[in-house]
Amino acid sequence: VQRQSAKLTSQTMSSLKFYYDLMSQPSRALFIIFRLSGMQFEDCVVALRNGEHLTDEFKLNINRFQRVPCINDNGYKLAESVAILRYLSAKGEIPEILYPKYFAKQARVDEFLEWQHTTLRVTCAMYFRTIWLDPLLTGRSPKEDKIEKLRMHMERNLDIIEQVWLAKSEFLTGSTLTVADIFAACEIEQTRMADYDVRIKFPKIRAWLKRVRHSCNPHYDAAHAFVYKISGTGPQAKL
């Protein structure tokens, strides 16, 4: 994916530099959104596993917070995925079908983005980090009671997705796919790597994930290739 992207962007010579790592959930979300939008950008892959974001050069020249995703738009540097989304939408780079311009519809998408940041994102990320990432880095496995507590917090928010956000619609904020669905799906897909199968307890989420993937492909599968590989569960895997 990275080699293909580099080839494409070298031909377009875009002034927008996109710094990301597909191990990062919001990086994957923006990658999919940019591809669906037909945006041209310079592919700047940052290997988080190698600590490339922790160097002084990265902090000084790319992102002062030393995280991905981030962009450099012809000299204008910006971090944080939702801020990047809104900035590029204001510039007309993100189509209205993904991020509406009409204030009421946009507010509904923003409502989810604001909600998920301290709920779905936090709990899914903490579960993934504790079960998969921390043991990889430290060689120590978490205690079972800690795993159960994190799973309980995560499933509480997954249940809200199931019972509230997907209660009356096929997508999170209405009848069509928006960026809200893409951000949420990328967070939930990350739990595959921690051997968690959301499809078992949450049938509405299972069906919704299929719709999101179908609406976003081939970019969805390209963004999640690493997740599929590490988890050993391909996109077509059945229960």
Side-chain angles (χ1 to χ4, degrees):
V1 175
Q2 294 168 0
R3 287 194 295 270
Q4 292 175 347
S5 298
K7 183 177 179 181
L8 288 170
T9 52
S10 65
Q11 294 172 349
T12 60
M13 297 298 289
S14 171
S15 63
L16 178 69
K17 295 181 179 181
F18 177 39
Y19 297 87
Y20 70 97
D21 185 331
L22 292 179
M23 284 186 65
S24 153
Q25 303 95 300
S27 286
R28 291 199 301 272
L30 286 184
F31 177 90
I32 294 167
I33 292 166
F34 289 1
R35 290 302 189 198
L36 286 174
S37 302
M39 284 178 50
Q40 297 179 356
F41 58 88
E42 183 178 340
D43 219 25
C44 301
V45 178
V46 179
L48 298 180
R49 60 195 175 279
N50 296 334
E52 291 182 359
H53 60 304
L54 300 177
T55 65
D56 291 339
E57 180 182 0
F58 190 95
K59 182 177 183 179
L60 179 64
N61 298 320
I62 299 174
N63 181 4
R64 55 191 170 167
F65 303 119
Q66 295 183 282
R67 302 169 67 179
V68 294
C70 57
I71 62 170
N72 184 325
D73 185 19
N74 198 29
Y76 182 74
K77 300 173 186 177
L78 188 63
E80 299 301 322
S81 55
V82 174
I84 293 169
L85 166 74
R86 290 169 177 159
Y87 167 77
L88 292 172
S89 172
K91 288 190 66 176
E93 298 284 358
I94 309 296
E96 286 191 54
I97 194 170
L98 290 179
Y99 189 63
K101 295 288 188 184
Y102 176 62
F103 73 94
K105 291 184 177 181
Q106 185 182 102
R108 189 64 67 198
V109 174
D110 285 342
E111 180 185 35
F112 179 83
L113 294 176
E114 297 293 346
W115 174 83
Q116 78 119 23
H117 214 69
T118 57
T119 51
L120 184 71
R121 170 157 174 72
V122 168
T123 53
C124 286
M126 283 301 298
Y127 187 84
F128 159 74
R129 182 180 181 89
T130 303
I131 307 302
W132 189 84
L133 185 58
D134 287 348
L136 182 68
L137 297 175
T138 66
R140 296 191 299 270
S141 298
K143 294 181 179 180
E144 189 59 38
D145 61 338
K146 184 174 183 179
I147 294 174
E148 185 58 33
K149 184 177 180 180
L150 290 170
R151 183 187 294 117
M152 180 185 68
H153 289 320
M154 179 176 70
E155 289 184 345
R156 186 178 299 153
N157 289 301
L158 290 171
D159 191 60
I160 293 173
I161 295 286
E162 182 99 347
Q163 301 300 328
V164 178
W165 292 102
L166 292 174
K168 299 179 180 179
S169 59
E170 291 193 342
F171 294 96
L172 295 176
T173 63
S175 60
T176 60
L177 176 93
T178 70
V179 296
D181 299 282
I182 298 172
F183 274 97
C186 288
E187 295 296 337
I188 293 173
E189 290 282 18
Q190 192 84 345
T191 63
R192 284 179 184 249
M193 296 168 63
D195 294 326
Y196 184 85
D197 195 336
V198 70
R199 301 170 301 167
I200 295 174
K201 292 186 178 181
F202 301 99
K204 285 185 180 180
I205 292 178
R206 179 177 67 236
W208 163 76
L209 281 173
K210 288 183 179 179
R211 290 192 290 271
V212 175
R213 175 176 173 264
H214 177 75
S215 300
C216 295
N217 260 342
H219 313 300
Y220 191 91
D221 283 350
H224 287 92
F226 181 80
V227 174
Y228 298 154
K229 179 180 178 180
I230 294 297
S231 66
T233 58
Q236 301 289 0
K238 297 181 180 180
L239 291 174

